[in-house]
Structure formats: C-alpha cells, structure tokens
Amino acid sequence: MDNTIPQTTPAAPKRPSRLTLLRDSDLWHSFRAHPSAIFAAALLALVALTAFLAPWITPQNPYDLAALELWNSEIPPIWEAGGQWPFVLGTDTQGRDILSAVLYGSRISLIIGFASVLLALAVGLALGLVAGYFGGWIDNVIMRVGDVLLSMPFILIAILITAIASASLPTGLKDVLAAPILIVAIAVPSWVQYARTVRASAMVEAKKEYVQAAKLIRVKPWRIMLHHILPNCLTPILVAATLNFGLAILSEATLSFLGVGMPPDQPSLGTLIRIGNQYLFSGLWWIVVFPSIQLCLIVLSVNMIGDWLRDALNPKLR
Amino acid sequence: MIAFLLKRTANAAFVMLAVALLAFVIFRFFGDPVEMMVNEQATLQDRIELRERLGLNDGFVTQYTRFVTNAVQGDFGVSYRNQQDVMVLIKERFPATFELVLVATVISLVVGIPAGVITAVYRDSRLANALQLGSIIGVSLPSFVVGILLILAFSVSLGWLPAFGRGATVDIGWWSTGLLTPSGRAALVLPAISLSTFQVTLVMRLVRAEMLETLRADYIKFARARGVPTRRVQWRHALRNCLMPVITLTGMQIGNLIAFALVTETVFQWPGMGMLFIQAVTFVDLPVMAAYLLIVSLIFVVLNTLVDITYAWVDPRLRDDSARGNG
C-alpha cells in the first residue's frame, strides 16, 4: 500500500528508470523527512497487509458458521480475567473471534473505499475534462448537476441512494449487491470535486498554444484531453483523492452503522460497530471497541498521508 | 448589486426545484403510493378510485407541479407508516435537532477559536503540537465512534450522564425545549460533544490559518510598535480580523450539522428529525424521506445563498460572475 504513493509522482514516463527518478524526486525526500508520514504509511501498510492476508493468518473464518462454537462465546480479551488463546481480542455472543472479524471487516472497508474513489475519479475526470474542453451547453449541464449534488449534504445523498436501491431490489439480490450499491452511493456525491478541479485546469490548458497546435494537426479531442490536459492537473487531484479515500471509508462505516450498508453476514467495520453497539450496556465492551479502534487507525493514517501530500506538493510551501 | 441578488436567488430557486424533482421522483416512482396506503382487503375498485383521487393518473408535469405547490405550502402528504401528517411529525421533531445543532455549534466556537489562536500564536510549542495532533485525530474519528466511546466512558463506566433520550422537556408554544430542565441539559451534553468534534477541528484549523496570515500584517507590527501588549494584539486586534471567515464557515456548516445529526441521533436515540428520517428509511416511508430531503436542502441552500449575498454586499469585487464558485 505504501509504495503506491511515491509511484504516482507526476514523473515523465520514458526517462532513465522509474526507480532512480523516484529516489531522486522531491517527494521521496520530503517523505523521508516527515516521520509522521512514514509512520502513517507503515501503519496503513500493516493494516492493508493483515486485512488482505486475513484468510491465512486469522485463527478462524468468522463467516463460516461451522467454525463457530457457542461455548466460545463472550470470551473477554486475552489480558482480562477469563481470556483464552487464540481469541486475542475476545469473542462475540456467537463465539466469533473479534480479531478475525476485524481483519475481514477491514478488507471489506478498504475495498469499498478504494473502489468508490476510483469510480468517482473516473467519472469526475471524464466529465470535468469534457466540460472544460468543450464548454457550452455540455459544460452547463454537467456543472449544474454538480451544483445540485453539492447543495445537498454528502451523507444524505449516500443514504438516499442506498435506501432507494435496497427498497427497489428483491431481498435476495439486495445482500449480494450491497457492496456495489455502497460504492456507487459514495461515488455519486464525490465526483463533483474532481470534475471542478479538472474543468478549471482544462479551461486554462485548452487555450494554450500547444493544445491549439495539437488541434491544428488534427489530434483527436479525447487524445488531447487524456495525453495533454490531464497530466497537467494530476497534482491537486492526487491530494483530493487521498483525502477522499479517508472520507469514503468513513462514509461507508457510517452507512453500515446506520443499517443501510453492508449486511451482518458480510460485515464491514461499520457493521461490526453497529452489532457491537447493542452490547454496550451488557459489559461486552470489546465487541464494539476493537472495530472502532481499527476504523480510526485506518482513517487517521490515510488523513496523515493526505495532509503530508498536500503540503509536499504545494509549490508555495517549498 | 440588484442583478447579482436576482441571479443568486434564481440560482437557489433552480437548485431547490431540482431537489424537489429528485424528491418527487423518489416519492412517486419507487414503490407504488397506492400499494403503500391501502390495506390487504382493499378491492381493485378501491385501488382504482384511490389512484384517481390522489391524481396519480395525471401527466408527469401536472403531478410534479402539484407536488411543488403542496410542498411550498408545507403539505408533504401523510406518512405511510403511522398515517400522520408529515409536516406535523417534522414540526414535533425539529426542536430536538435544532437544539442539538445549536449547542454543538456553540461548543465548536468556544473550543475551536481559542485552540486555533493558541496553535497559531505559540507555534511549535508543546501545547500547540498536542492541539494539532488532536485536530487530526478529531477529523479522523467518525462521529458515531466518538458517541459510542463517550457512552462507554461517561454512562456505562462512570454513570455520570444519560446515554439516550432527551430528558424532561418544557413546552413553549409548539416548541419543546430541553434546555430548561436539569435532566434535559444533562441529556444534551454527550450528543452535543459528539456532534461537535468534527466542527471543533474545522474551526480550529481555519482560525489557525487565518491567524498565521493576519499576524504577518503591517498593522499588527504597528500595534506592537505603538506599545500595545502582545496578548492584546493577538487576542483582540488579530483575532477580530479572523472572525469573518469563521462566521461564514459556521453559517454554511449548520446545514451539514443538521444532516450529520442523524448519525448522532441514532447513537443516542435522540428524538429529532434525523431519527425520524432513519426510521422512515427502514420502513420505506417515502413521504417522510422526501420531506426531510427537501427541508434539509432548503436550510442548506438558503444559508449558502445568504452567505454569498452578504459577501457580495461587503465586498463589491465579488458581484460579477467570478463569484460563481461554491453553489
């Protein structure tokens, strides 16, 4: 996970070797000079690694009902009285190992967050480029739709989409499609930001001479947009995408917590917190606390990387 | 200025019409209103009559116009779930949400402004660094997690404060307030803190950025040269010039806080509009969902428009089209 960040440096593609370029880049130097960025990247890498290796490293498959034993239920964490190996972080009321559930849940949270950012990026970049390059009524329509989306609170749009989707789908399909629905629900209110950023640069770039020249030699519009305009506005997009990744994970957790997200048989961290919330007053604090901590660690590390990236890529601060 | 005013108002009206269209489409096309309203024993004839009576056979434009006309008059129809008038339901729940948002806003200002000044003035001191770290943690903590942790600490372990409900309320006209009774105030503490965490960090970051900028200005140096005490320069001369953006932010965030209150209200079983909405979502109670969407968007749009107009009024440079940044 951590090496995806330096890789996305806006480096020119066909030069000596990417590794050397990366090692000599300002971004890499800045990264090494910021302990908080290194810490956050290491933390995120650890979380991502354990989440994706979950099937091989967890003591139990928390979704395999045959693996759950009722006499293992409500075991506290290992350092409390009554704690039992291998249930390091304790078990829930059905004998499900909390550590395993948290790792599997992180995997779902990370995938949904990542996919929704990718979807929002694809839609936002495409629409922003088209709006900024062509202008006119296309621009007007796209930006007006964006205005309307931004005039409603983010979380409200996401809830409405999931609510409508689950109301209009048959019960069997609802749970299967829960993850794709969430991805769309989070992407819909977030593409506008990318579109606005790209549109602004595309409008500026489209007037420059090199684009005029490209037009003259009949380079196709999509080629001009993708190869000439897009690379020039990647820096602010990269920062926004990183910060939005944190926001997407938060949104997914919030939706699942409210009960309109992932169903209990394929729980994300938000669903686990929702389930644990029911046992808040029965003394089984570990069911809710550990998924919460994991969620906070993920969002915190993403935000720290985003903050560092914003400062490192800001030419004013150099 | 009048041209700008008209343009901005027309823009807001357009956005509201679009949101109304969205609400109408949700209300009309996801689930059949007739099926939701009749009981099991209704005959086909009953259904056809009801359909005619509700005007569901009219054209799309006619139905949409009727929906907007009714909504403007505060008529959002009848809740599918308990057959009550939707506007009455919302009116009942609104004071709870409003008080929660109000107290959360006050907390965000009272905590956020001094914290922002401290981080700017005593830059790189231990306190400022701790506050900075606190702010990034505050941004990363989901509000429902803050709520749950607060309940665990102050209700379950210490037993100091109630974890759910609104406590005793006093009715003033149609408004029910929890601010006048001790149990009402106690019940408000944890939800308001949990709702305000994000807002506190937002205010703090903004004040810090503004202060760093302002402290470099010439009039600050001049005030120091004149012999005004440092503290006074920092907390009076500089801070005052940072407050305008803070007021803007606070105004624009109120809409967001109302929307986000639905998460806090779910955690604390707070009987506000947000709880009403979440219950409506669970029961696919479309009229309530449509009404909530319209009301929250209206608050959002009105506040944004007011902020824009105030800005243009204060700063003539913004009156031309370059103001069209944040819709």
Side-chain angles (χ1 to χ4, degrees), chain A residues 159-169, chain B residues 22 26 30 281 286 289:
Chain A
I159 292 177
L160 278 175
I161 294 175
T162 49
I164 291 165
S166 63
S168 45
L169 285 174
Chain B
L22 191 70
I26 292 171
F30 291 92
V281 166
L286 296 168
M289 282 165 69

Side-chain angles (χ1 to χ4, degrees), chain B residues 169-181:
Chain B
T169 55
V170 179
D171 288 337
I172 305 172
W174 63 274
W175 191 277
S176 69
T177 177
L179 294 172
L180 297 177
T181 61

Side-chain angles (χ1 to χ4, degrees), chain B residues 212-232:
Chain B
L212 286 177
E213 197 115 315
T214 316
L215 284 174
R216 275 189 227 128
D218 283 340
Y219 74 92
I220 295 292
K221 283 182 199 144
F222 183 67
R224 290 283 298 116
R226 222 172 42 178
V228 182
T230 319
R231 283 267 165 96
R232 204 179 150 80

Side-chain angles (χ1 to χ4, degrees), chain A residues 11-150:
Chain A
K14 281 160 196 155
R15 291 242 186 96
S17 109
R18 288 196 181 192
L19 202 66
T20 4
L21 265 182
L22 186 66
R23 216 170 38 213
D24 294 339
S25 70
D26 291 345
L27 202 59
W28 182 244
H29 281 288
S30 157
F31 181 71
R32 290 184 30 180
H34 282 80
S36 62
I38 298 176
F39 169 75
L43 185 62
L44 192 58
L46 181 72
V47 167
L49 204 67
T50 49
F52 286 97
L53 294 179
W56 296 279
I57 58 173
T58 52
Q60 181 193 76
N61 178 356
Y63 311 134
D64 182 7
L65 289 177
L68 304 183
E69 304 288 0
L70 216 49
W71 59 77
N72 281 337
S73 66
E74 301 184 19
I75 297 175
I78 196 116
W79 57 88
E80 298 261 309
Q84 256 177 54
W85 191 258
F87 308 111
V88 181
L89 300 182
T91 61
D92 70 3
T93 48
Q94 291 164 351
R96 192 174 281 128
D97 176 39
I98 298 289
L99 177 66
S100 310
V102 164
L103 294 185
Y104 274 83
S106 309
R107 191 159 68 152
I108 296 178
S109 293
L110 286 171
I111 291 176
I112 292 179
F114 195 69
S116 66
V117 170
L118 278 190
L119 181 63
L121 262 178
V123 175
L125 294 185
L127 291 181
L129 278 176
V130 168
Y133 185 81
F134 292 111
W137 66 270
I138 299 186
D139 180 28
N140 244 323
V141 170
I142 294 175
M143 286 299 123
R144 276 303 147 100
V145 172
D147 281 353
V148 173
L149 282 178
L150 284 192

Side-chain angles (χ1 to χ4, degrees), chain A residues 151 164 196 250 296 303 307, chain B residues 15 30 140-142 205 300 325:
Chain A
S151 68
I164 291 165
R196 283 192 167 176
L250 265 188
C296 296
N303 280 347
D307 270 9
Chain B
V15 168
F30 291 92
S140 311
L141 282 177
R205 285 173 163 217
F300 214 67

